[in-house]
Amino acid sequence: MYKNKSKTGHNNICGEKIKKLRQNLPQKTSQRQLAEMLQILGLDVDKNAIQRIESGQRFVTDIELKSISKVLNVSYDELLDDED
């Protein structure tokens, strides 16, 4: 049987990292602001999608991961590193 969940039972391994990085941006950045930054890059996400990603309820595609890493100015590896 296949297991499409992280060690914590979430649907992604990058959500918590995305939340930490967003909260640590130099300017206070809300989930809505992050969604708007991603929309500028052409990614069709809204505040609710960001909330679901950060809480681990939503899968993240490679296309989304690429844009998120660009906006947060980090590598894919840093987003996917679940060793904390």
Side-chain angles (χ1 to χ4, degrees), residues 1 8 11 40 78-79:
M1 177 167 240
T8 60
N11 288 327
I40 289 170
E78 189 169 343
L79 290 177

Side-chain angles (χ1 to χ4, degrees), residues 1-11 13 59:
M1 177 167 240
Y2 293 105
K3 210 167 90 173
N4 290 340
K5 303 272 184 188
S6 71
K7 295 176 195 173
T8 60
H10 293 148
N11 288 327
I13 59 173
F59 290 103

Side-chain angles (χ1 to χ4, degrees), residues 3 18 25 40-42 45 50-52 55-56 58-59 62 65 69 72 78-79:
K3 210 167 90 173
I18 290 169
L25 287 173
I40 289 170
L41 293 180
V45 294
I50 299 300
Q51 187 277 325
R52 293 186 71 231
S55 67
R58 184 180 178 281
F59 290 103
D62 54 355
L65 193 66
S69 69
L72 296 176
E78 189 169 343
L79 290 177

Side-chain angles (χ1 to χ4, degrees), residues 12-28:
N12 65 56
I13 59 173
C14 61
E16 291 177 16
K17 181 76 69 153
I18 290 169
K19 182 176 181 176
K20 281 183 197 175
L21 290 167
R22 175 182 59 79
Q23 291 174 333
N24 290 328
L25 287 173
Q27 290 184 310
K28 187 176 178 182

